[in-house]
């Protein structure tokens, strides 16, 4: 891994246009809807907590994909 790769991974990647801002919002909203659905359907416990945590991770990585895209 190069120093440039490390720099890119840990740099702030602001939404550079309205399309990217809308994409971030869409991703957050989709994940939120699923989180609400899972929260109402799943019994409390470790498994539910992990499912919600993994959904958060999915949201973060999805938004990173949008933010880090150089287009």
């Amino acid at each position: 891994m190069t120093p440039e790769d490390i720099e890119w991974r840990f740099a702030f990647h602001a939404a550079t246009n309205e399309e990217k801002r809308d994409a971030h919002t869409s991703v957050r909203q989709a994940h939120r809807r699923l989180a609400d659905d899972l929260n109402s359907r799943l019994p409390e416990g470790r498994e539910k907590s992990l499912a919600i945590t993994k959904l958060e991770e999915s949201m973060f990585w999805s938004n990173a994909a949008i933010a880090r895209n150089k287009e």
Side-chain angles (χ1 to χ4, degrees):
M1 195 170 298
T2 67
E4 292 79 17
D5 186 40
I6 296 293
E7 173 66 28
W8 181 252
R9 288 173 180 244
F10 290 92
F12 176 70
H13 302 279
T16 54
N17 57 48
E18 190 171 338
E19 183 180 4
K20 280 191 175 189
R21 284 190 294 278
D22 290 347
H24 284 297
T25 298
S26 179
V27 163
R28 280 193 307 275
Q29 289 173 344
H31 281 81
R32 173 61 191 268
R33 285 191 300 273
L34 183 53
D36 286 337
D37 188 43
L38 292 175
N39 190 45
S40 67
R41 294 176 185 267
L42 301 177
E44 295 298 325
R46 179 176 183 269
E47 294 82 0
K48 178 179 176 176
S49 294
L50 287 170
I52 298 295
T53 297
K54 296 302 180 183
L55 190 57
E56 283 181 287
E57 291 176 8
S58 173
M59 182 184 67
F60 295 143
W61 284 117
S62 297
N63 277 321
I66 295 166
R68 293 176 180 176
N69 186 357
K70 294 181 181 182
E71 294 180 1

